[in-house]
Amino acid sequence: MSEVSIYHNPRCSKSRQTLQLLEQRDIQPKVIDYLNNPLAADELKDLLHKLGFISARELMRSKETIYKEMNLASVTDEEALLDAMAAHPKLMERPVVVCNGRARLGRPPEAVLDILP
């Protein structure tokens, strides 16, 4: 069976629901606490590719206070957005499930089902 990973925030209800959905299907994913182990900018870029996203903004939580404080809405440089997410992992939308070189954002949790083995 392919390894399944989840970028997880235990305080987030969607993240908990997505993890539960995986476990109900007898999938024990590698749980990555991205808040305490932030992704580097190049890892975020790879994750964006797996998600099929064009812009880092698609993976950003635009309602976070830090997003507004850093005035990220006006930033157009993709590298700057990736660097901001790497420095402030709270900006990354969650949960993200990765399997077989593909990824899905678990919003809603069922969205991850199409990449699972």
Side-chain angles (χ1 to χ4, degrees):
M1 179 182 233
S2 300
E3 182 177 285
V4 177
S5 300
I6 181 171
Y7 291 91
H8 180 61
N9 177 350
R11 293 178 47 207
C12 170
S13 64
K14 294 295 182 201
S15 197
R16 290 191 310 269
Q17 290 169 11
T18 303
L19 180 57
Q20 182 180 28
L21 181 71
L22 296 173
E23 291 171 343
Q24 287 172 345
R25 285 166 172 69
D26 293 324
I27 297 170
Q28 296 302 315
K30 176 181 176 187
V31 178
I32 301 164
D33 179 352
Y34 69 93
L35 291 174
N36 290 317
N37 300 295
L39 283 76
D42 61 332
E43 293 171 310
L44 286 163
K45 188 182 280 191
D46 182 57
L47 190 57
L48 288 172
H49 177 73
K50 289 175 181 172
L51 284 160
F53 290 173
I54 295 169
S55 172
R57 197 170 305 282
E58 295 175 81
L59 189 58
M60 295 185 90
R61 297 178 54 80
S62 60
K63 294 182 181 171
E64 286 293 332
T65 303
I66 191 74
Y67 185 90
K68 294 171 183 138
E69 288 173 352
M70 294 179 71
N71 196 28
L72 292 173
S74 66
V75 174
T76 57
D77 178 37
E78 285 294 312
E79 295 301 319
L81 293 174
L82 290 167
D83 289 343
M85 269 196 291
H88 304 281
K90 194 180 217 182
L91 287 168
M92 187 176 116
E93 189 61 84
R94 76 276 180 152
V96 176
V97 173
V98 179
C99 181
N100 292 325
R102 298 181 345 167
R104 290 292 179 272
L105 186 58
R107 292 189 170 267
E110 295 77 20
V112 306
L113 295 176
D114 73 324
I115 65 165
L116 298 178

